[in-house]
Amino acid sequence: MKKILLGFFAMASFQNIMAQGLHINANLKNIPDNTTASLIDGMANKVVDSAKVVGGAFQLKAEVANPGIYVMSFSGLPAKIPMFIGNDQLTISGDLKDANNIVYQGSATQSLYIQYMKVLTPQIEGLFGAKNIGATATGNTKDSALKQVSIRETAIANSLTELIKANSQSPVSTLFLLQVTNFVPAVKENLGTYYDLLSGAAKTGPFAEYITKTISTAGVGNIGTVLPEFKQNDVNGKSVSLSSFRGKYVLVDFWASWCGPCRAENPNVVKTYNAFKNKNFTVLGVSLDQDKARWLEAIKKDGLTWTHVSDLKYWNNAVAVQFGIQSIPANFLLDPNGVVIGKDLRGEDLSRILTEKMK
């Protein structure tokens, strides 16, 4: 009897250990045999497991410290499947070519993630559409678009509030709160109030830590304040300090080689730099890259001939964390005394402000 009981407890302990890890059993149509399925940690941007697909079936495993965003990708195929998962026993079935109808079983966080996406995605797409119209329109059309932007931002904030109140202890709520701050100013300005709606597990893990740091750095980089000092190594490993640029107008530009919007904005920065580089203006690029070779390649390809620094720590870049950078591109325009006179400038905005200041 003693041996039987010991065997039972040993088996129970083993099953408990197994349950602590993430196990994905997937069976998806329209994936060729011998395709490599990879599971990518979205926060660390690294592959945590991979497997060959045979008859549409494959298994992936990982140890997850905190529930978070993971992306499933497939070699040779453009399809990517984002998921919000933890140490779940997850079953996935469906058709890779019909991603919206893929069925997930065994993960409460993934189910909630899908719910959030269904509610917020169409609203966010509508907001971006209105912003795009407003950016190029004039007269009554522009006024109408800007009114729509305000209406849609309010609707998103209201939907987010309802979802958070209904799911206040889920880290999924923390993720979406963090994301919405990137494009709804009212949410960003009242981040502490929204964060107070959360409790329990929603206030643990990397997303909660990021929001806490953001709240603590809320005043950093505000117009009229002096941007705090920082040091980071340049492309040659030499330490560069922000204070070494005192006496010049300087754009502190946060970007990365992997950031599409950053690369799209680079030609505007290059144009302004070339127009004002002999008029007491320069740029200091702070990269959120991980791969030095790709960083250097992007600098060369985009013609970014100013000073660049990075610690190659992705979103954990020390300067980005110090300033509470939540999305890129992001930037701060400083006057010769290091005072912030503009932030998050796009298109012709940088050139316009410099022209005004240098009259």
Side-chain angles (χ1 to χ4, degrees), residues 128-280:
F128 287 163
K131 284 186 174 182
N132 289 337
I133 294 172
T136 57
T138 57
N140 292 335
T141 302
K142 186 178 185 69
D143 292 341
S144 177
L146 293 178
K147 183 177 180 179
Q148 279 298 310
V149 167
S150 178
I151 292 172
R152 291 177 184 277
E153 286 179 348
T154 300
I156 291 171
N158 290 339
S159 293
L160 177 68
T161 301
E162 291 177 7
L163 285 164
I164 287 177
K165 287 181 176 179
N167 305 281
S168 61
Q169 297 193 30
S170 174
V172 179
S173 296
T174 318
L175 168 68
F176 278 92
L177 172 56
L178 184 59
Q179 289 184 331
V180 170
T181 61
N182 293 328
F183 44 82
V184 178
V187 175
K188 184 174 184 178
E189 292 166 5
N190 296 282
L191 182 57
T193 301
Y194 282 91
Y195 190 59
D196 285 343
L197 297 174
L198 301 174
S199 60
K203 286 195 168 182
T204 63
F207 303 119
E209 291 173 6
Y210 202 87
I211 288 178
T212 301
K213 289 177 181 178
T214 299
I215 293 171
S216 68
T217 60
V220 175
N222 284 348
I223 303 293
T225 65
V226 175
L227 198 67
E229 169 72 323
F230 66 82
K231 293 182 180 180
Q232 206 154 87
N233 288 347
D234 66 11
V235 296
N236 297 312
K238 180 181 177 181
S239 179
V240 175
S241 65
L242 176 62
S243 58
S244 67
F245 292 87
R246 285 290 172 87
K248 289 188 174 184
Y249 288 92
V250 57
L251 182 75
V252 181
D253 187 32
F254 291 84
W255 74 295
S257 67
W258 46 262
C259 169
C262 302
R263 304 292 294 274
E265 184 62 28
N266 278 342
N268 294 323
V269 183
V270 170
K271 180 181 177 181
T272 302
Y273 173 75
N274 289 334
F276 291 91
K277 65 182 179 181
N278 296 321
K279 299 178 182 179
N280 206 35

Side-chain angles (χ1 to χ4, degrees), residues 153 197 309 332 345:
E153 286 179 348
L197 297 174
V309 298
F332 302 93
L345 305 174

Side-chain angles (χ1 to χ4, degrees), residues 4 22 43 51 62 73 77 89 98 108 150 154 158 201 219 237 286 290 309 314-315 359:
I4 292 173
L22 167 65
M43 288 294 290
S73 66
L77 300 175
Q89 308 298 301
D98 187 16
S150 178
T154 300
N158 290 339
V286 183
Q290 285 180 299
V309 298
Y314 196 48
W315 283 106
K359 285 180 180 178

Side-chain angles (χ1 to χ4, degrees), residues 100-157:
N100 290 333
N101 290 312
I102 289 176
V103 176
Y104 305 87
Q105 294 178 310
S107 173
T109 52
Q110 175 62 4
S111 296
L112 183 57
Y113 177 77
I114 293 172
Q115 181 184 343
Y116 262 93
M117 291 291 285
K118 286 181 177 179
V119 172
L120 293 179
T121 298
Q123 295 185 40
I124 293 168
E125 289 175 347
L127 172 62
F128 287 163
K131 284 186 174 182
N132 289 337
I133 294 172
T136 57
T138 57
N140 292 335
T141 302
K142 186 178 185 69
D143 292 341
S144 177
L146 293 178
K147 183 177 180 179
Q148 279 298 310
V149 167
S150 178
I151 292 172
R152 291 177 184 277
E153 286 179 348
T154 300
I156 291 171

